Amino acid sequence: MVIIKIIKLSKDLVIGAWSLIKGLVITLKNCFIPAITLQYPAQKQPMTGRFRGLVDLHPEKCIICYQCVKICPVACLAIAHKQENNKKVISEFKYNMELCCFCGMCQQVCPTSAIYMNKIYEISVYDRDKTHINLLNPGKYIEWLNTSIK
Amino acid sequence: MNTSQTKDICTEEFLINMGPQHPSTHGVLSLELKLDGEMIRDCTAHIGYLHRSMEKLAENRTYTQFIPYTDRLDYVASMNNNMGYVMAVEKLLNLEISDRAKYIRVIAAELNRIASHLIAIGTFAQDLGAFATPLFYCFREREKIIDIFDQICGNRLTYNYMRIGGVQFDLPKGIDEKIKKFIKYMRSKVDDYDWLLTYNTIFLARSKHIGLLPKDLAINYSVSGPNLRASGVKWDLRKDEPYLVYEKLEFDIPVGENGDSWDRYKVRLEEIRQSLKIVEQALGALPEGDPTVKIGRIHKPSPSEIYLRTENPRGELGFFIISDGSAYPYRLKIRSPSFSNLAVLPELVKGLKIADIVCILGSLDILMGETDR
Amino acid sequence: MRTNEIFMAIKTDFPEARQEEETGAVIIPKESLLKITQYLKNHRLAFDNLHCITAIDRAERVELAYTLYSISEHHGITLKIYLTAGEENVASLAELWKSANWLEREVYDLFGVIFLNHPDLRRILNPYDWKGHPLRKSYSHPEVSIKPRL
Amino acid sequence: MLMMLIAGIAVLAFISASAMFLIWWERKVSAHIQSRFGPMRVGWHGVLQPIADAVKLLLKEDIRPAEADKLVWWLAPFFAVVPPVMAFAAIPFGKSLIPKDLNVGILYIMAISSVCVIGIFMAGWGSNNKYSLLGGMRSAAQIVSYEIPMILSMITVVMHANSLSMQKIVEAQSRHWNILHPNMLLAALVYTIAATAEVNRAPFDIPEAESELVAGFHTEYSGMKFAMFFIGEYTNLFIIAAISTTLFFGGWHGPFLPPVVWFLSKTYLCIFIWMWVRWTFPRARVDQLMAFAWKVLTPIAFVNLAITGWLLLK
């Protein structure tokens, strides 16, 4: 009876040792496969064509239809317009970057694709009122570098 | 240890607080353990740390505006959440969607299932002590899926890709070669995991017969998904209540024998292989057509109630939507699989050691974003 | 077995069950909940899976919808109970299905429906000392969030 | 006297250099196993990273828990670092390159290195934190029960070389290394497993199990005290590798390279195997670990001892 137990135990030990060695073979194999991580600040992955970064605007294309303001789930867009010799002109287009959830609904709903999402993803600010952006002034995203692939 | 012998030894149970900030509670979950030495006498779970009351938010959002919120439910498999919600609303509006959109949804959902299972396997191995090596292998594979999704819909985690009646974009040009290359790459990697983890004696010793979930207890707790199939119940919504094009695709359901932590891991590993098969077939049979849909129109469904459940990587995700004719849902109840899967934990853990509770929690693959809603 | 066949099976044994028109749910009075659910669970209908409990805050009443499924028979049913505004309490099903334990705690937490002889009826998602039940239509969220006393 | 001073300073310099190198090497080995690069920024391929770590740990604030048992908590790191450094006294680096050739060399090393379990237990008890208490108790049980198979496997070697002194053990292997005898191979296997448990390295790192006990016994240590535990661990790793080379792989014997190079290369090969094992296997549970030590390793070690005795007396 004891011999059967010893045989069974040694069989388990051998199978166990063999499975441990198989595990070691995998890690050794991976040891020689070249590493694939990016050294982030030096190497950056260019963003794909459809990447949704910060919201941006071509002011001339906008026909002030308020579709984007209506569709935004977190209400971070706000437009004010005034009537000037029978033509509507945008007086103010505020974008609250802090609330934005980068869902891309405004970009899809805009009939003239005036509002679109650019490729900036490294967004950090020191004080909160930096997050309230006026989309009309062209130099709004200077401090965050643009990593678009174009 | 009957009490007669321990008259002189004054052993005292001490309370230990595992969480809400703990390396292996998969998110913000607090477990109060009453320990006798290493043995766990009793465990109570405190959840709700990540409660954003999604259901109250849903009552103030139109049907289209709520789609980005469903990404944040089960943030590891947000394609499946989108699909679940969007299909529920389509059933409410009884809207038919184009065939190509159905196939694209199946491809996206299955790829996301593989990514979610990879995370489940990686963190399970990490919890058992195989520090970081299997986790990094799983993340390396998952990175390839994330790149595919980045090309399809532009985001890496919260995709917001599906719309009511279709999808946002059509698949980009060279994407099916990329997916085929990924499928071939992934098949060899899954066999590697078999060698590295599945039959490793320490891994077996740590997870075999730990956290035994018998079949009837699992059904009684309405556990669903891989945890239920690991207990021997052959129940998968994609097969038993087929939706989209799952009845046209040929795949089988892995089922475990005795419902312990090892079986739950093994079922997830097999499901990755099955999902690869599904994606391959769906990619082959992709019909032509225009899956995209405009989102300007505000949907106003007639007052009615529907309940629809889909097979999420973690279990059955159900949406109970009650509409009252306005553009906003009157009530939107989200039945989250992790909520019921977590309810089983205190029952499984009595009398085991601390190392086992970490192992069972890892094998149940709980996600707090979904549990707390 | 479609929902009306199941309803017929229930109707024969419990005459007081009614069927809601468009949704096909079975409406039962509050008192006979325990009897009917006992019957549903052990009868050949074999409803062994209480999938989810949904509470709906209508203007004049609170509706409780129990979604039941049977894994062996591949069918499901929705049981509905109308709780009049005054006394929102109903018997707890924690003994029949263990999943009811947490589901009922969540309904109590968000709606304030009291479940009689529930093992431990505490709040589950909100802090234990939270005032009010958030998902009620009449709920107004507190202006200042209460700081936890350390 | 002067000679002893110089030898002492040389050994201390070697210890800190080797600890620094081991920390860096472990991070590079683990990185490449997990298909990533490891430290690359500080110096060429992160060579200066250990120095950066040391400076960081020096500048870090040394926080002491309020209700900690002050003296016990303060003393614990010393008990974790001093024994491995003292054990260097009997390590044979070369033909005459040995700090002090004690005639009880191997016994001395084993006695000293079992002192560090007291340090770990003091750390566990002193930090007044439930997790570290559990970690401390686990380490006490583990190290004590793995010392027996370790010493038994050493005795088989000592019986061959019929002397406890390390130099004599190495000289006994001049013709062929000990590992070539079958029973020595079994003793080497038992020794490696027991030594991993002795040094709390995976798959036996239950005292500081990250996923269960947050950080085990050194949860409450930060700054220089944590660095001391860290250095103690790597020096201990070097010690068990050095012992395994002297006992089983023929110490500094080697065809034409100078003996020191042979000794160091063999030691670092053993360390690579320990690192390789660490980053592959999951962690054993406490009771399985103890059962393995008492029910499997110790019987095997005894049987091996009996066989060796029979072989020698034949």
Side-chain angles (χ1 to χ4, degrees), chain D residues 131-157:
Chain D
Y131 283 121
S132 34
L133 180 65
L134 279 173
M137 280 200 278
R138 282 183 175 186
S139 73
Q142 172 193 327
I143 293 177
V144 161
S145 53
Y146 271 91
E147 264 187 19
I148 294 153
M150 191 165 168
I151 292 168
L152 288 177
S153 58
M154 280 182 195
I155 294 172
T156 43
V157 171

Side-chain angles (χ1 to χ4, degrees), chain C residues 5-150:
Chain C
E5 282 135 27
I6 301 169
F7 173 66
M8 284 315 147
I10 299 170
K11 189 73 175 160
T12 51
D13 296 345
F14 298 93
E16 69 269 22
R18 289 182 284 106
Q19 184 155 31
E20 210 173 38
E21 321 68 30
E22 73 285 354
T23 56
V26 178
I27 302 163
I28 51 171
K30 189 169 70 168
E31 296 68 26
S32 61
L33 171 69
L34 269 184
K35 291 207 306 305
I36 292 185
T37 40
Q38 201 94 29
Y39 165 82
L40 283 177
K41 185 167 188 228
N42 310 330
H43 187 265
R44 59 171 177 70
L45 292 173
F47 280 99
D48 43 21
N49 180 0
L50 171 59
H51 204 60
C52 98
I53 304 177
T54 323
I56 308 145
D57 180 11
R58 296 283 184 201
E60 69 290 351
R61 62 177 187 268
V62 171
E63 290 176 25
L64 274 182
Y66 293 85
T67 319
L68 294 167
Y69 279 102
S70 153
I71 291 200
S72 45
E73 306 284 335
H74 287 266
H75 58 237
I77 186 113
T78 319
L79 276 181
K80 271 212 163 165
I81 295 178
Y82 293 157
L83 305 170
T84 53
E87 6 79 29
E88 281 120 358
N89 46 40
V90 73
S92 154
L93 304 179
E95 287 76 28
L96 280 169
W97 292 289
K98 291 203 176 64
S99 61
N101 188 332
W102 275 28
L103 292 171
E104 282 167 354
R105 274 179 63 186
E106 188 201 341
V107 170
Y108 162 70
D109 183 1
L110 298 176
F111 276 86
V113 173
I114 296 158
F115 291 87
L116 312 175
N117 50 54
H118 183 282
D120 70 341
L121 198 62
R122 289 174 293 138
R123 287 183 178 272
I124 192 162
L125 290 178
N126 290 317
Y128 293 117
D129 53 1
W130 188 262
K131 300 279 176 304
H133 300 289
L135 272 181
R136 274 296 174 89
K137 296 292 177 191
S138 57
Y139 177 77
S140 69
H141 59 80
E143 286 324 313
V144 173
S145 63
I146 313 143
K147 289 266 174 311
R149 288 171 310 286
L150 289 176

